[in-house]
Amino acid sequence: MSAPAREIRFLATRSSGEVSALLIRPRDAFALYVFSHGAGAGMRHVFMEEFSQALAKHGVATFRYHFPYMEAGRRAPSPRPVLLKTVRAAVHAAGEAAPDLPRFAGGKSMGGRMTSMAAAAESLPEIRGLVFVGFPLHPAGRESTDRGDHLADVSVPLLFLQGTRDKLAQLDLLRPIVSPLDCHATLHEVEGADHGFSVLKRSGRTDADVMRELAETSAAWMRDRA
């Protein structure tokens, strides 16, 4: 049975206005994950819903939210300053929605990167760590590490959930970024998964198997830091 979601609205920025959010809080919640979406799909995307429900089974509440461009039904992401301000506003709104739960933040692809950029610029209040669900290190076919330069400036622990077939994050480029961060960062490689965490049939695994792995890994990591 799916955990129920409570709809919430909060002010993203003065210029952008309010955006929508969904709070799922299981009865046994021990932590809250402020969960932002990727560039091309909003908070109601099937992956966002399935991951939130999977986390709920492990005692992790989620606060999913829209960036202003997605709220307005536009395809092109909002300017970066708006995205970063929205991350900070979402962290604050999540704290108001569940003030008793230790908070973590992050997101799928672009949402995770915007969260880390916000945290690198200025610490996110009361956030215990960041969880990246497919960190987008570079565009497909254009290998680079520039998008990871700011990670060394993030002061809280980091968890990277990365598929070994992810074309937006070549692992031979990501590993050298994570390694110098020592115990500050954890890289969990999901064998055979792509950027959307789908696996090939010949792998002998299903997407549901991968979802369980993602949720179990994230929940255990958060529990150690809650």
Side-chain angles (χ1 to χ4, degrees), residues 34 36 65 67 82-92 105 111 114-116 118-119 124:
V34 187
S36 54
Y65 63 95
F67 286 112
V82 173
L83 299 177
L84 300 185
K85 287 180 181 178
T86 302
V87 168
R88 305 194 75 84
V91 167
H92 177 76
M114 290 303 106
T115 303
S116 60
L124 296 171

Side-chain angles (χ1 to χ4, degrees), residues 172-223:
D172 59 350
L173 297 178
L174 183 60
R175 291 186 190 113
I177 293 175
V178 174
S179 181
L181 301 178
D182 199 24
C183 60
H184 182 61
T186 303
L187 173 59
H188 180 83
E189 299 179 16
V190 183
E191 184 62 38
D194 62 14
H195 190 64
F197 292 94
S198 290
V199 289
L200 300 173
K201 289 184 178 180
R202 65 172 180 265
S203 70
R205 305 177 73 201
T206 66
D207 290 354
D209 292 333
V210 171
M211 187 62 70
R212 282 192 293 272
E213 178 181 344
L214 295 175
E216 289 171 1
T217 301
S218 301
W221 186 87
M222 291 185 212
R223 189 177 291 278

Side-chain angles (χ1 to χ4, degrees), residues 104-178:
F104 296 81
K108 181 72 183 76
S109 194
M110 181 204 75
R113 186 165 73 95
M114 290 303 106
T115 303
S116 60
M117 292 185 73
E122 183 181 352
S123 296
L124 296 171
E126 298 184 21
I127 291 297
R128 304 287 183 91
L130 304 185
V131 178
F132 306 109
V133 190
F135 186 86
L137 185 60
H138 53 73
R142 293 164 52 193
E143 288 77 6
S144 171
T145 60
D146 293 349
R147 290 183 176 179
D149 289 346
H150 69 282
L151 293 170
D153 296 325
V154 180
S155 60
V156 295
L158 310 173
L159 172 63
F160 295 82
L161 304 170
Q162 298 291 151
T164 58
R165 293 193 303 117
D166 190 341
K167 294 183 179 179
L168 274 64
Q170 292 293 326
L171 289 175
D172 59 350
L173 297 178
L174 183 60
R175 291 186 190 113
I177 293 175
V178 174

